[in-house]
Amino acid sequence: MKVGHWHRSVALLLGIIATALLFVAISHDLRSYSIEVSTSTWVSAADSRNAGSIASEVVDYEAREDEFADPEPLDQQEQEEQGEKEEDKPEAREIEGGDSNGAAGVGFSPGNSTNRECNLYEGRWVRDESYPLFQPFTCPFVDTAFRCQENGRKDKGYLQWRWQPFGCDIPRFNALDMLKRLRNKKLAFVGDSLGRNQWESLVCMLYQGVSNRSNVFEARRQQVGKARPSYSVKFPDYKTQIDYYRTHFLVPEGRRPPGITERRRIKCSLQLDRVDKTGSKWKNADILVFNSGHWWNHGKISKRCFFIERSNYTLNMDVHAAYERAIQTWASWVDNHRGKKVFFRGFAPNHFSGGDWNTGGTCETHIQPLDDESKLDKYPDKVEAVENVLSTMKTPVTFLNVTKLSLFRKDGHVAGWGKRNGSGRQDCSHWCLPGVPDTWNELLYASLTRS
């Protein structure tokens, strides 16, 4: 083969190869284009059929993620704009002065008032036919002396009043909800017979909400009354017990000191620098409701009791000062026993007219609450003494300041209905059950629901 022919053959072969490669490349590009076009056409068709559902699924999923995701930090302008929006929102109202440190006591639903805060203890009594919170004749844990309807009281209007604060509503008492909150806990009332008055009220309010009432009982099967120094009602289905411990003064009450003759009419001594001996039992409670004040009056102890601190004792101590000193001793005990929810229930007023408890005083003529604040009796100075001490405590204590709202309720006392057919001396200190102490327990419940 000649060289010229060989060169022409090689050139021809290379041209054929190049042409083939170009054809392959063009075919590949055309095929890719075809695939892209058909795929695009398929997605477009699917979108035309399912666009709504696909978009919905994506949005819902992102929304759920937004619900649980931490918010992105806002820049300064966004923070200012959001702050302005938050200020425009209505806020839930809270009580002033609920705790000893001035913190709000309970959160409530807003009423008609535009005030940002609601003082629970400023309000009025309103008629409410859905009351009382438990029915007379239905609770076995009420002292006979407080069973006014059973003892013959004819009027029933005193049972159907509800305390309504100005500007907010307190939550309706829910027995089952409270029992659930008290599950595996012990709640104890510590105080005088008015503390027992409130204890009996709460036990009955809880009792009416239990389905198996036969399984609610007093631990020692005692009949409730003034004879026993303590009671304990158990709710086994909730592993809950509601206790009462009697102490008139919160500090030890004893006989007159040695060497003091009877001619001086000395009846007792009060050890102001230590808590009552029943304190060894209180300390086992998870929630404590204290009261004291009913026995701290001049007629009962002035010049009739010695006041003792350490080894010193005197008759010449102002009763108000002695009361405040006893409350200080109690406060020290509370501060040294942390980890409890503690309440102090304010002074419960009496309403004797025409005499005192032992000189023919009466209150049976009142059949509805007072409607004018100017008619209320003088606000007792014991309330100020308690507030002074609570403000110095390390432990938060909720002050259930029921004094003023109770001053309106001259109609709620036992009066002559502590015995059958209204016989005997009138009792214008204690309260009929059901009755006013139920409201004290509504306030207790409200505070527990907040915490």
Side-chain angles (χ1 to χ4, degrees), residues 139 141 199-208 233 235 242:
C139 182
F141 304 107
W199 169 79
E200 293 179 24
S201 164
L202 181 62
V203 168
C204 291
M205 290 164 69
L206 295 174
Y207 178 77
Q208 60 84 29
V233 172
F235 294 79
I242 314 297

Side-chain angles (χ1 to χ4, degrees), residues 85-268:
K85 292 178 181 178
E86 289 296 328
E87 289 178 358
D88 294 336
K89 292 180 181 179
E91 293 186 15
R93 289 165 172 78
E94 293 186 337
I95 299 171
E96 294 177 337
D99 293 340
S100 60
N101 57 10
V106 186
F108 301 97
S109 58
N112 296 324
S113 172
T114 58
N115 295 329
R116 291 182 57 153
E117 292 184 337
C118 171
N119 185 342
L120 175 64
Y121 306 106
E122 292 293 334
R124 61 193 180 95
W125 290 94
V126 297
R127 176 73 71 177
D128 190 330
E129 294 185 357
S130 68
Y131 278 61
L133 295 174
F134 69 94
Q135 294 298 320
F137 303 91
T138 63
C139 182
F141 304 107
V142 177
D143 183 348
T144 302
F146 304 152
R147 300 187 185 194
C148 300
Q149 289 290 305
E150 294 176 52
N151 289 336
R153 182 169 178 171
K154 302 300 182 184
D155 65 299
K156 297 182 179 180
Y158 71 96
L159 295 170
Q160 296 179 321
W161 293 95
R162 172 176 55 82
W163 178 249
Q164 177 62 59
F166 297 133
C168 64
D169 299 317
I170 59 176
R172 174 86 176 191
F173 183 82
N174 185 318
L176 291 180
D177 178 66
M178 186 161 187
L179 282 167
K180 290 176 182 177
R181 293 174 186 275
L182 295 176
R183 189 184 296 276
N184 298 314
K185 291 182 174 62
K186 175 198 268 189
L187 188 158
F189 288 83
V190 181
D192 53 34
S193 55
L194 285 158
R196 178 167 55 82
N197 211 176
Q198 185 180 3
W199 169 79
E200 293 179 24
S201 164
L202 181 62
V203 168
C204 291
M205 290 164 69
L206 295 174
Y207 178 77
Q208 60 84 29
V210 175
S211 57
N212 184 11
R213 295 182 182 180
S214 62
N215 201 29
V216 180
F217 57 91
E218 202 287 320
R220 294 181 292 276
R221 302 302 196 272
Q222 301 176 123
Q223 179 68 39
V224 173
K226 65 181 181 180
R228 304 290 182 180
S230 65
Y231 295 97
S232 179
V233 172
K234 296 183 179 293
F235 294 79
D237 292 343
Y238 297 88
K239 298 181 180 178
T240 296
Q241 64 185 75
I242 314 297
D243 294 353
Y244 164 73
Y245 299 103
R246 182 174 65 200
T247 169
H248 298 140
F249 303 99
L250 295 179
V251 296
E253 173 187 3
R255 299 180 182 277
R256 54 184 175 270
I260 303 300
T261 63
E262 290 189 26
R263 288 177 296 178
R264 295 191 62 180
R265 294 173 54 88
I266 305 302
K267 300 294 184 181
C268 70

Side-chain angles (χ1 to χ4, degrees), residues 413-431:
H413 289 291
V414 171
W417 304 110
K419 294 182 179 180
R420 290 285 183 182
N421 301 317
S423 59
R425 180 185 294 170
Q426 291 206 11
D427 180 356
C428 303
S429 297
H430 298 93
W431 306 85

Side-chain angles (χ1 to χ4, degrees), residues 127 158 161 365-371 408-411:
R127 176 73 71 177
Y158 71 96
W161 293 95
T365 57
H366 300 281
I367 59 174
Q368 63 183 17
L370 297 175
D371 57 2
F408 285 96
R409 294 303 306 274
K410 287 188 175 184
D411 60 314

Side-chain angles (χ1 to χ4, degrees), residues 362-430:
T362 64
C363 54
E364 66 182 357
T365 57
H366 300 281
I367 59 174
Q368 63 183 17
L370 297 175
D371 57 2
D372 186 350
E373 189 172 326
S374 65
K375 298 178 182 179
L376 300 183
D377 293 340
K378 180 182 176 182
Y379 200 64
D381 56 8
K382 295 181 181 69
V383 176
E384 181 181 0
V386 172
E387 291 177 330
N388 289 341
V389 174
L390 296 186
S391 67
T392 67
M393 294 180 65
K394 299 175 183 177
T395 304
V397 174
T398 302
F399 185 33
L400 300 176
N401 191 3
V402 303
T403 302
K404 186 174 181 179
L405 63 89
S406 302
L407 280 169
F408 285 96
R409 294 303 306 274
K410 287 188 175 184
D411 60 314
H413 289 291
V414 171
W417 304 110
K419 294 182 179 180
R420 290 285 183 182
N421 301 317
S423 59
R425 180 185 294 170
Q426 291 206 11
D427 180 356
C428 303
S429 297
H430 298 93

Side-chain angles (χ1 to χ4, degrees), residues 313-382:
Y313 56 89
T314 180
L315 280 173
N316 301 316
M317 188 174 188
D318 178 71
V319 173
H320 178 79
Y323 176 70
E324 188 162 346
R325 179 69 186 91
I327 299 299
Q328 290 170 349
T329 298
W330 162 83
S332 296
W333 183 94
V334 172
D335 280 339
N336 290 327
H337 293 78
R338 301 292 187 90
K340 303 177 185 300
K341 181 67 176 174
V342 181
F343 297 84
F344 194 99
R345 197 258 295 148
F347 181 71
N350 58 47
H351 289 103
F352 289 101
S353 299
D356 208 339
W357 64 278
N358 57 349
T359 57
T362 64
C363 54
E364 66 182 357
T365 57
H366 300 281
I367 59 174
Q368 63 183 17
L370 297 175
D371 57 2
D372 186 350
E373 189 172 326
S374 65
K375 298 178 182 179
L376 300 183
D377 293 340
K378 180 182 176 182
Y379 200 64
D381 56 8
K382 295 181 181 69

